[in-house]
Amino acid sequence: MDEGTEADNSRRMESLWFEDGSIILQAGSIQYRVHRSILAMHSPVFKDMLAFPQPADSELIDGCPVVRLPDPEAEVTPFLRALYDPQFFQVFPARTTFAHLFGCLRLGHKYGVDYLRRRALGHLSSMFRTTLSEWDATGNSEVEDKGDRLPSSVVTWTFVVESVICAIQLAREVEALWVLPGAFYCLSENYKELREKIFHEVVYDGITANLSVQDQQDFLRGSDAQIASTFEVMRSLGGPPSIIEGCTSTQDCIVERLRVLQEAISDHSRSPLVVGLSGHLMKKLCPHCLAVLKQKHEEARQAFWDELPQMYGLPPWNELEQMKTDAIGTDLLI
């Protein structure tokens, strides 16, 4: 943290303390000396806010008026850095962090900085895709590598399971509903790790978040449906263990299919997009059975994906896709 103290224990953010700055913003105990003109140029909200005359008894530091923001330092710092430094928060597919993304998106939305909001939405959407092929290509599913993965920059921030709760709250606030099906899926998939946090406030990298009561209810209902869908996908692989017409190794294939079911039940009860995908799970199948079951498996996965938004009380994919296009266009996301 940059040094600098005031009588009230506030501290200067030296990297955002400009000696020719004309206004001091304060978030929590952190102060920023910045320029009214820069804020007004980028943000219509700040422009209107700063247009009001300052009261005669307004707080001053070094002759500059002090404006206390209700936003936390963890959000204000990356937001202001993005306004001042074009290299700090670049357009997709440049790398970023979830904390930087969160601050730029939430405050870009709140203060009407449209280009920053749009840029941040591109980064957020890089993790939570809206088609199954893109979802697989991000590495969210343990798909067999067919040589058709998207570039490594397809996901521009590192996913940590706690961040998904922050992402859901953020997506609701900025009306990025197309993010939510994938986010809810990840939340359910990591339920064992997150079950003590889903219904309470979480703090991740300085960001405080919690699910609304409605999102908690939607999660519980959708997670149950996700478990049921896992068994539907499993049935496409292993059951009933009848002989597939054209099978060339009947006993081995039936045993292998039963083994797939056993491993799937124990390891992936909440992961219908992952269950049975690893190649080693079907290594003893004859080529014919392998081809038949792969096709059935992909059809079952696609059927689940098509229903995923409705499981969590969201609009269908075609409506969510249109929302995404309206918000960020098609040029900010591969």
Side-chain angles (χ1 to χ4, degrees):
M1 181 62 64
D2 296 318
E3 296 181 353
T5 59
E6 299 291 337
D8 62 355
N9 296 321
S10 60
R11 292 178 291 170
R12 295 178 178 180
M13 179 63 68
E14 294 294 345
S15 61
L16 288 164
W17 186 273
F18 302 99
E19 292 303 324
D20 62 344
S22 54
I23 190 170
I24 292 174
L25 303 181
Q26 180 155 342
S29 63
I30 306 300
Q31 295 178 336
Y32 315 82
R33 184 169 179 173
V34 292
H35 303 84
R36 298 167 64 101
S37 58
I38 296 294
L39 297 177
M41 177 175 65
H42 290 292
S43 165
V45 177
F46 273 114
K47 182 178 181 180
D48 291 343
M49 183 192 310
L50 299 175
F52 289 100
Q54 294 293 323
D57 60 347
S58 62
E59 182 182 3
L60 298 175
I61 294 178
D62 294 342
C64 298
V66 177
V67 175
R68 296 180 182 270
L69 300 177
D71 314 296
E73 179 272 330
E75 298 173 17
V76 175
T77 296
F79 171 70
L80 291 177
R81 286 187 65 185
L83 295 186
Y84 272 89
D85 181 2
Q87 302 302 313
F88 172 71
F89 188 68
Q90 298 183 57
V91 70
F92 178 93
R95 295 291 301 176
T96 188
T97 69
F98 183 74
H100 293 166
L101 183 164
F102 192 97
C104 289
L105 179 50
R106 183 174 180 275
L107 298 192
H109 176 80
K110 178 178 180 178
Y111 294 113
V113 185
D114 290 340
Y115 84 90
L116 197 57
R117 177 183 186 274
R118 184 167 173 259
R119 184 175 296 183
L121 283 172
H123 285 289
L124 181 64
S125 301
S126 72
M127 177 63 72
F128 304 110
R129 296 298 183 122
T130 51
T131 68
L132 181 55
S133 60
E134 288 180 333
W135 179 270
D136 287 344
T138 64
N140 281 318
S141 299
E142 298 171 3
V143 292
E144 178 183 355
D145 189 357
K146 302 174 184 177
D148 57 358
R149 288 182 179 274
L150 294 175
S152 59
S153 59
V154 70
V155 176
T156 58
W157 51 281
T158 302
F159 175 82
V160 178
V161 289
E162 286 85 356
S163 68
V164 71
I165 294 175
C166 303
I168 290 172
Q169 176 186 283
L170 180 62
R172 285 291 190 192
E173 184 173 350
V174 304
E175 300 178 337
L177 300 188
W178 64 89
V179 166
L180 293 176
F184 276 122
Y185 176 88
C186 289
L187 190 63
S188 181
E189 194 173 37
N190 293 280
Y191 178 76
K192 289 182 180 179
E193 184 174 350
L194 290 173
R195 59 187 172 186
E196 300 299 326
K197 303 176 181 179
I198 290 173
F199 307 106
H200 301 88
E201 187 176 81
V202 298
V203 179
Y204 170 68
D205 207 6
I207 300 165
T208 301
N210 61 276
L211 298 184
S212 68
V213 172
Q214 184 62 57
D215 277 335
Q216 292 176 18
Q217 294 172 347
D218 289 342
F219 167 74
L220 290 173
R221 182 176 60 253
S223 188
D224 285 344
Q226 189 164 314
I227 293 173
S229 294
T230 304
F231 285 91
E232 288 297 322
V233 175
M234 286 162 51
R235 272 195 285 271
S236 73
L237 291 170
S242 56
I243 299 173
I244 295 176
E245 185 177 354
C247 175
T248 61
S249 184
T250 303
Q251 183 172 352
D252 287 344
C253 286
I254 290 178
V255 170
E256 183 70 357
R257 289 164 64 194
L258 290 173
R259 187 175 70 83
V260 168
L261 282 178
Q262 183 178 12
E263 292 194 21
I265 290 171
S266 62
D267 295 338
H268 298 297
S269 63
R270 294 176 179 270
S271 304
L273 295 177
V274 174
V275 62
L277 280 173
S278 299
H280 72 276
L281 289 180
M282 293 185 274
K283 61 185 177 182
K284 293 183 180 179
L285 291 175
C286 74
H288 177 75
C289 286
L290 181 60
V292 170
L293 292 180
K294 276 189 173 181
Q295 180 177 348
K296 290 184 177 181
H297 183 231
E298 284 305 310
E299 290 171 355
R301 292 178 75 239
Q302 186 64 56
F304 163 75
W305 182 265
D306 292 344
E307 295 299 320
L308 178 59
Q310 290 93 318
M311 289 180 185
Y312 289 99
L314 296 161
W317 280 122
N318 63 320
E319 294 183 24
L320 296 175
E321 286 275 13
Q322 188 60 54
M323 291 180 192
K324 182 174 74 171
T325 300
D326 292 344
I328 65 176
T330 58
D331 59 328
L332 285 189
L333 197 60
I334 297 175

